[in-house]
Amino acid sequence: MNTLALYESMSAISAQMVEAAAACDWDRLTALEKDCAGLARHLEADGEPIRLSASERTRKLALIHRILADDAEVRRHTEPWMEQVKQFLGGGARERSIRRAYGAHAGQ
């Protein structure tokens, strides 16, 4: 797969990631992230710089901007959820600490 095709595939996957995040479909989002990371590894592995025509460079730049915009949109959906999980887990840890501290005196 050539470089532009890789970017095209990554852009298509990032658009699907936005849909998954908006639907709170975390399993699908995780699977899509793995697919996108696999394509990114292919880009890194190519190593050799490839000469692109002006129109190809323009297309590559547009795809990169689209991927970055999609990434920001995914974060807009995931960060509130991650904050809720953090609060939940933090609350659980706080509750365990309180139970440990006061639970020892409950039988007295």
Side-chain angles (χ1 to χ4, degrees), residues 25-40:
D25 187 347
W26 311 126
D27 291 335
R28 182 169 178 244
L29 179 62
T30 301
L32 290 166
E33 280 180 337
K34 288 179 184 175
D35 293 344
C36 200
L39 292 173

Side-chain angles (χ1 to χ4, degrees), residues 10-11 13-14 17 31-41 67:
M10 288 176 70
S11 179
I13 291 172
S14 72
M17 290 169 64
L32 290 166
E33 280 180 337
K34 288 179 184 175
D35 293 344
C36 200
L39 292 173
R41 280 192 297 276
I67 291 166

Side-chain angles (χ1 to χ4, degrees), residues 78-97:
T78 58
E79 286 177 354
W81 176 77
M82 290 174 66
E83 186 60 34
Q84 286 177 341
V85 170
K86 186 176 161 185
Q87 294 291 327
F88 175 75
L89 293 175
R94 191 171 29 253
E95 184 178 324
R96 283 190 299 275
S97 285

